Amino acid sequence: MIYILLSICCSVVVSIMLKLARRYHIDVYQAITWNYSMAIFLSWIFLKPQLQNLKDAPFFSYSLLALLLPALFVILATSVRLSGIVRTDIAQRLSLLVPVIAAFFLFGEQITVIKLIGIILGFTAIICSIPWQNKNAVKRKNSNAWVYLLIVFAGMGLIDVLFKQIAAFTLLSYGTSLFIVFVLAFIFAFTGLIFQVLNKTMRFSWPHIFIGWVLGVANFGNILFYLKAHKALANQPSTVFSAMNIGVVVVGALIGMLIFKEKLSLLNKAGIVIAIIAIVIMAQS
């Protein structure tokens, strides 16, 4: 569970940086693009990828994951604009349903009563943690808004499933797989950046490179420890999926309350308590 805890901490750091980015008018897309260049560097230095025998590598999974990682940041921003923060937040958190179902039906994990109780409590905690009465929610009507919510739900869930598949691929080290994913993600994101700059829909800014590198350190740690958790708990994917998502909700809520002075309702506080109980149960399982 130590890998899950480290991944949660890195994930929350990424969320804090993205939250501050909006406050200081930082172009998130440029920061996300350059974050993958730092992730490539860290992967090369610390994970020592072996690139000699790649003929059996799952390049379809690599490419799909590399495309989804930067693309979903754009989709999330669009979803917030069209559907509001609350609805987007709900779609993102409930995407846990996708990898949990995959754990039992795709990865063949055995269902036990303790795991089922932990998962049910986890979903209850997530629902309780949602800011249903958020006054900052964007109230706009758009006929296509539901499409972006659906993409957020399915996309976030699919990313979790793809990471599990990569962690389960034993012909290559996870360091090699991670390096390839980061290289492809940077190529896709950089191509989009160049396209927007040439079309004059984005103004290139040098400081975003440094900001992206700082973000890349946290993002690298998040994904690295997440893969390590799947390696360590190879037969317990639902535990990794659930504990990771629930943990991010708990730590994120506490950071929001303590640092950003966000107010939590009684329901939100109950959700934190239920989430902690759920994590303990799944850890015991």
Side-chain angles (χ1 to χ4, degrees):
M1 296 294 284
I2 185 65
Y3 291 134
I4 296 177
L5 177 61
L6 291 172
S7 182
I8 289 170
C9 292
C10 291
S11 178
V12 171
V13 170
V14 171
S15 297
I16 292 173
M17 291 189 67
L18 292 177
K19 186 180 183 71
L20 293 175
R22 297 188 184 97
R23 178 181 297 181
Y24 294 104
H25 307 291
I26 294 170
D27 190 318
V28 173
Y29 187 87
Q30 291 191 53
I32 290 299
T33 298
W34 295 112
N35 118 88
Y36 291 119
S37 66
M38 174 56 73
I40 291 170
F41 173 75
L42 293 176
S43 299
W44 183 262
I45 296 298
F46 293 106
L47 300 181
K48 309 297 183 183
Q50 304 297 318
L51 305 176
Q52 291 82 13
N53 299 311
L54 300 178
K55 61 179 181 180
D56 296 322
F59 278 105
F60 177 78
S61 296
Y62 291 159
S63 300
L64 184 57
L65 181 57
L67 185 61
L68 282 173
L69 286 173
L72 265 182
F73 279 104
V74 179
I75 297 296
L76 280 167
T78 305
S79 181
V80 168
R81 179 169 55 84
L82 297 179
S83 301
I85 296 173
V86 173
R87 292 187 180 90
T88 303
D89 194 40
I90 292 171
Q92 187 173 355
R93 295 186 187 183
L94 293 184
S95 66
L96 171 61
L97 183 64
V98 176
V100 166
I101 291 175
F104 296 116
F105 294 99
L106 183 62
F107 300 115
E109 182 178 352
Q110 296 297 316
I111 301 176
T112 65
V113 175
I114 295 179
K115 288 179 186 176
L116 196 58
I117 292 173
I119 291 169
I120 291 173
L121 285 175
F123 274 110
T124 303
I126 288 174
I127 292 172
C128 290
S129 70
I130 293 170
W132 299 100
Q133 303 299 324
N134 194 326
K135 295 179 181 179
N136 296 321
V138 180
K139 295 181 179 178
R140 293 186 181 181
K141 292 184 178 179
N142 189 293
S143 59
N144 296 323
W146 67 272
V147 175
Y148 292 95
L149 289 173
L150 182 61
I151 294 174
V152 169
F153 172 81
M156 295 299 290
L158 182 57
I159 283 176
D160 279 345
V161 174
L162 288 170
F163 271 127
K164 169 58 183 174
Q165 283 188 326
I166 288 175
F169 186 72
T170 57
L171 296 180
L172 290 177
S173 67
Y174 65 83
T176 301
S177 295
L178 204 55
F179 178 80
I180 295 172
V181 169
F182 284 143
V183 169
L184 292 174
F186 179 68
I187 291 172
F188 291 143
F190 188 71
T191 301
L193 176 66
I194 294 299
F195 179 79
Q196 293 178 73
V197 170
L198 292 178
N199 281 343
K200 297 182 179 180
T201 56
M202 177 188 292
R203 184 178 179 181
F204 179 79
S205 174
W206 288 104
H208 282 91
I209 298 178
F210 175 73
I211 295 169
W213 287 347
V214 176
L215 179 64
V217 174
N219 197 29
F220 171 76
N222 173 30
I223 296 175
L224 173 65
F225 293 124
Y226 188 57
L227 279 176
K228 279 181 172 286
H230 274 300
K231 283 282 187 182
L233 298 171
N235 297 321
Q236 308 285 333
S238 68
T239 299
V240 179
F241 292 138
S242 302
M244 178 65 189
N245 283 272
I246 299 167
V248 168
V249 169
V250 173
V251 178
L254 292 175
I255 293 295
M257 182 174 60
L258 297 175
I259 296 181
F260 295 101
K261 307 302 179 183
E262 296 177 354
K263 294 183 179 180
L264 300 180
S265 67
L266 183 61
L267 185 64
N268 298 153
K269 294 176 182 177
I272 293 176
V273 175
I274 295 172
I276 294 172
I277 294 172
I279 292 174
V280 171
I281 289 176
M282 283 184 287
Q284 292 299 317
S285 71

